[in-house]
Amino acid sequence: MLIQPFDALQNVSSPQVLGFEVDSINSVQFSNHTGYSHWKGQVLTADELHVLYEGIKLNNVHHYDYVLTGYTRDTSFLEMVVDIIQELKRANPNLVYVCDPVLGDHGSMYVPQNLHPVYKNKVVPVADIITPNQFEAELLTGKNISTEKDAVEVMDLLHKMGPDTVVITSSDLPSRLGDRFLVSLGSQRTLMPDGTKSTQRVRMEIPKVDAVFVGTGDLFAAMLLAWTHHYPNDLKTACEKTFSVMHHVIQRTISYAHELAGPGRRPSPPQLELRMVQSKADIEDPAIVMEATVLTL
């Protein structure tokens, strides 16, 4: 099940390409994504979400292996999501909940402040995989990230809150490859046969792109869901697959956008729409161009 904005269509199409049957619920129904100057449409309320879920239950088709959620602006809606997740997990204790805790970036929030405690106290504790950026990870744990060691400690704090897999999708940490790269870090706790837990931590250096894309966070979360399904105890490979998909899609998009815009002109939002259909082969079987380093801290 995907509970996402209507404009996050890549969340639906990309897992389907990889063989997942997807039930999608639109948390908003907009004419276009909000990267444009104007948009029109409706926002799904908590009551409306409940009605949709009740309809699914009445037909006895509410048996899910994964749930993925992203952007929302309403606390009651988010709390309804938590109620649904808890009910689905009672029916299937092996259900994996993937949460992109969309709160903000670069030091500022772009959702209402009152969502923060709901994510921290209710959503993250029931999540199995989370994909915050640095700002969101800091906000959820109350700890700043200035070094790689700080980032590892923040991921450990997030593990203690609930999720066994944490990927900090972007950070301000200095890259070993220079200022044209950003750093992403991940951590995965795995239950061993003897009952103990083993932790794998990885670091990736990601090339920066001078453009603003809408939907990359949605695509990332969907791809991480898919590749952790295929590699459930191998975060290194799952991240390499996920980030390589992202690289191929973004490079194809930016090349096309510059071609449309013409020399010396910045591409417009329509020109920067992610080239999802054209990237089908890369989504299905990405050439690995992003390699992860296993941390030994």
Side-chain angles (χ1 to χ4, degrees), residues 13-72:
S13 60
S14 48
Q16 285 178 324
V17 164
L18 289 168
F20 290 81
E21 293 287 349
V22 177
D23 290 344
S24 60
I25 294 178
N26 301 330
S27 58
V28 302
Q29 182 87 355
F30 286 168
S31 55
N32 46 270
H33 66 65
T34 56
Y36 288 81
S37 300
H38 308 281
W39 64 90
K40 295 287 186 181
Q42 302 81 37
V43 177
L44 193 71
T45 67
D47 288 342
E48 289 166 340
L49 172 61
H50 179 70
V51 168
L52 290 174
Y53 178 60
E54 286 299 311
I56 292 171
K57 284 203 299 181
L58 285 171
N59 289 298
N60 196 31
V61 290
H62 59 299
H63 309 290
Y64 295 102
D65 298 308
Y66 290 90
V67 176
L68 171 58
T69 65
Y71 177 81
T72 184

Side-chain angles (χ1 to χ4, degrees), residues 1-281:
M1 175 188 283
L2 300 178
I3 303 175
Q4 290 285 341
F6 168 74
D7 52 334
L9 287 178
Q10 54 270 18
N11 260 7
V12 180
S13 60
S14 48
Q16 285 178 324
V17 164
L18 289 168
F20 290 81
E21 293 287 349
V22 177
D23 290 344
S24 60
I25 294 178
N26 301 330
S27 58
V28 302
Q29 182 87 355
F30 286 168
S31 55
N32 46 270
H33 66 65
T34 56
Y36 288 81
S37 300
H38 308 281
W39 64 90
K40 295 287 186 181
Q42 302 81 37
V43 177
L44 193 71
T45 67
D47 288 342
E48 289 166 340
L49 172 61
H50 179 70
V51 168
L52 290 174
Y53 178 60
E54 286 299 311
I56 292 171
K57 284 203 299 181
L58 285 171
N59 289 298
N60 196 31
V61 290
H62 59 299
H63 309 290
Y64 295 102
D65 298 308
Y66 290 90
V67 176
L68 171 58
T69 65
Y71 177 81
T72 184
R73 295 183 57 85
D74 181 71
T75 56
S76 61
F77 186 92
L78 200 52
E79 288 170 341
M80 179 60 66
V81 168
V82 172
D83 290 343
I84 290 171
I85 297 295
Q86 290 173 329
E87 182 171 322
L88 291 173
K89 283 195 169 192
R90 285 193 293 271
N92 176 15
N94 294 319
L95 179 142
V96 174
Y97 172 33
V98 182
C99 172
D100 182 6
V102 181
L103 290 165
D105 204 358
H106 303 299
S108 62
M109 293 185 68
Y110 41 63
V111 298
Q113 296 265 356
N114 57 2
L115 263 70
H116 172 220
V118 180
Y119 271 112
K120 181 176 181 177
N121 300 321
K122 297 184 178 182
V123 179
V124 173
V126 299
D128 300 283
I129 301 173
I130 60 170
T131 59
N133 57 39
Q134 176 177 330
F135 173 72
E136 291 160 345
E138 291 174 333
L139 206 58
L140 290 168
T141 60
K143 180 177 175 58
N144 291 333
I145 297 174
S146 301
T147 65
E148 185 178 278
K149 183 173 180 290
D150 291 337
V152 169
E153 290 174 358
V154 163
M155 291 189 291
D156 285 345
L157 288 171
L158 289 167
H159 283 319
K160 289 177 182 177
M161 293 169 69
D164 281 333
T165 300
V166 176
V167 177
I168 299 177
T169 56
S170 62
S171 75
D172 298 326
L173 295 177
S175 170
R176 296 161 186 162
L177 301 180
D179 59 9
R180 297 178 65 184
F181 290 78
L182 59 81
V183 174
S184 173
L185 299 111
S187 180
Q188 183 178 56
R189 293 188 309 185
T190 303
L191 185 64
M192 307 303 287
D194 63 0
T196 62
K197 286 198 172 183
S198 172
T199 303
Q200 182 188 57
R201 302 184 181 97
V202 299
R203 172 184 173 125
M204 301 192 73
E205 320 285 326
I206 313 300
K208 294 178 181 177
V209 178
D210 184 22
V212 177
F213 302 95
V214 175
T216 50
D218 303 310
L219 176 60
F220 182 90
M223 288 293 90
L224 188 64
L225 182 160
W227 292 115
T228 52
H229 170 80
H230 290 294
Y231 300 93
N233 299 314
D234 185 358
L235 183 63
K236 180 179 187 293
T237 299
C239 282
E240 288 174 343
K241 293 274 192 179
T242 298
F243 278 101
S244 292
V245 170
M246 300 301 299
H247 175 81
H248 294 309
V249 172
I250 287 171
Q251 288 302 314
R252 181 171 287 105
T253 300
I254 196 68
S255 296
Y256 179 75
H258 282 310
E259 181 183 324
L260 289 181
R265 301 185 65 182
R266 290 191 69 83
S268 65
Q271 294 165 342
L272 288 168
E273 292 279 6
L274 295 179
R275 304 287 285 170
M276 296 297 300
V277 174
Q278 297 78 6
S279 301
K280 177 176 178 290

